[in-house]
Amino acid sequence: MVAPIVNTGIQTAKYCNVAGLGVLIFDYFLTLGAEVRCTWNRRWNASRVLFVISRYMAFVAAAMTSYAAIATRANENCSRFDHASNAIHIISIVAAEGLLIIRTYAFWNQNKKILAVLLVMAAICIACAVGITQVVSNLAVPANPSDPPTSNCTFEAGRSSAIQYGFVVAYELLLMSLTVFKRYQDYRDSNSRLVRAIFQGGVRYMTAIIFISVANILIMSVVPVSYDEMMDVPQLVLHSMLASRVLFNLHESDQRMDETTLQMSTLYLA
């Protein structure tokens, strides 16, 4: 009964990842009008660069994963392709997280100490996530030399990949804690529309990322290994979709901006 379970797991993972690419394409056209209004023909700054990377590199990463899922690559060496796909995934997600860092930095009135802490913690989390995952993967039981050679193109991930999502959860909790603390320390009685947009949008975004990251951790830790890649593209797509809405919602709030003490210049695209 092992083979049917493995085949079912791999097929389920393939369907989920291809469906994730479809959702990303659908959402792109759904929000294209907002993108035109908020970003096109406007000056470039850190927020816009991160937005473009998180929005458009997600298409490359999702397309590469979908290709890996549906293509027949039994006699190929897929190591380089897989490494490139993983790197693009990481860059896209890091860019999305960068928008949340800028959002938190603005919410703290551009406190440079907070920015420095967030950047250092982000670098530590990225280095630890990648490094520890690689070390754990290398400690896996080596293949028996007498066994017949197997393809490295199987659409599966090692359980060690759950470590990366653990660091994502930890960093999201840090951002959420800082946001909630600042909200109730300095803006408890504020009725500013912009404050509400930053706080509520950020908490919703981070809660969604934490939820899907925990789901990924559980899938990689509990279910059969053939299901491991099931939430790969959905996690990437959620990062990209919500990162786009970070700026879209702020732009809409800025159009109706009322009296506020927030210094939001780092987030403006205009």
Side-chain angles (χ1 to χ4, degrees):
M1 296 297 293
V2 175
I5 293 176
V6 171
N7 292 334
T8 300
I10 292 177
Q11 288 300 319
T12 301
K14 290 180 178 182
Y15 295 149
C16 288
N17 281 279
V18 175
L21 176 59
V23 170
L24 182 63
I25 295 172
F26 175 78
D27 181 75
Y28 175 78
F29 288 105
L30 193 66
T31 57
L32 182 58
E35 179 181 346
V36 172
R37 292 192 302 272
C38 297
T39 66
W40 289 18
N41 298 320
R42 298 179 185 274
R43 66 182 178 86
W44 287 88
N45 57 14
S47 296
R48 187 177 180 185
V49 171
L50 291 172
F51 165 78
V52 169
I53 293 174
S54 66
R55 185 161 171 87
Y56 288 97
M57 195 165 284
F59 283 97
V60 179
M64 293 178 73
T65 300
S66 298
Y67 170 79
I70 64 178
T72 301
R73 305 183 294 166
N75 298 319
E76 299 179 21
N77 186 332
C78 301
S79 296
R80 291 184 178 179
F81 181 90
D82 291 343
H83 289 330
S85 178
N86 290 336
I88 294 174
H89 267 74
I90 292 173
I91 292 172
S92 179
I93 290 177
V94 168
E97 291 296 317
L99 287 173
L100 268 187
I101 291 174
I102 293 178
R103 189 188 191 115
T104 305
Y105 169 59
F107 200 59
W108 276 77
N109 292 313
Q110 300 185 15
N111 187 314
K112 295 189 183 302
K113 292 182 179 179
I114 289 294
L115 179 62
V117 169
L118 291 176
L119 292 177
V120 170
M121 291 302 298
I124 292 174
C125 286
I126 294 170
C128 290
V130 175
I132 295 176
T133 300
Q134 188 63 43
V135 170
V136 173
S137 298
N138 293 337
L139 293 176
V141 179
N144 190 329
S146 62
D147 291 342
T150 58
S151 171
N152 62 352
C153 296
T154 305
F155 193 63
E156 294 179 359
R159 294 194 183 278
S160 60
S161 297
I163 297 171
Q164 298 177 358
Y165 296 112
F167 280 100
V168 172
V169 171
Y171 197 74
E172 294 294 342
L173 288 173
L174 171 63
L175 292 176
M176 182 180 290
S177 299
L178 288 172
T179 301
V180 172
F181 175 79
K182 191 65 173 178
R183 173 69 172 88
Y184 291 102
Q185 180 192 47
D186 292 349
Y187 306 114
R188 182 190 301 271
D189 300 320
S190 174
N191 292 318
S192 167
R193 191 177 289 115
L194 190 57
V195 169
R196 291 198 304 271
I198 297 175
F199 176 73
Q200 296 174 359
V203 169
R204 286 197 299 266
Y205 179 102
M206 289 179 277
T207 300
I209 295 302
I210 290 172
F211 177 81
I212 196 170
S213 298
V214 170
N216 247 321
I217 293 171
L218 293 175
I219 290 172
M220 292 184 170
S221 304
V222 178
V223 303
V225 69
S226 57
Y227 289 86
D228 281 357
E229 293 275 23
M230 189 169 72
M231 298 297 290
D232 190 13
V233 169
Q235 170 113 22
L236 174 75
V237 168
L238 188 62
H239 268 93
S240 178
M241 289 169 54
L242 296 181
S244 299
R245 282 161 174 77
V246 166
L247 293 185
F248 298 159
N249 293 342
L250 283 173
H251 179 81
E252 293 175 1
S253 297
D254 182 40
Q255 300 304 307
R256 306 184 299 270
M257 186 173 166
D258 48 8
E259 188 70 23
T260 179
T261 58
L262 280 177
Q263 302 172 19
M264 297 299 298
S265 60
T266 55
L267 281 165
Y268 293 156
L269 293 176

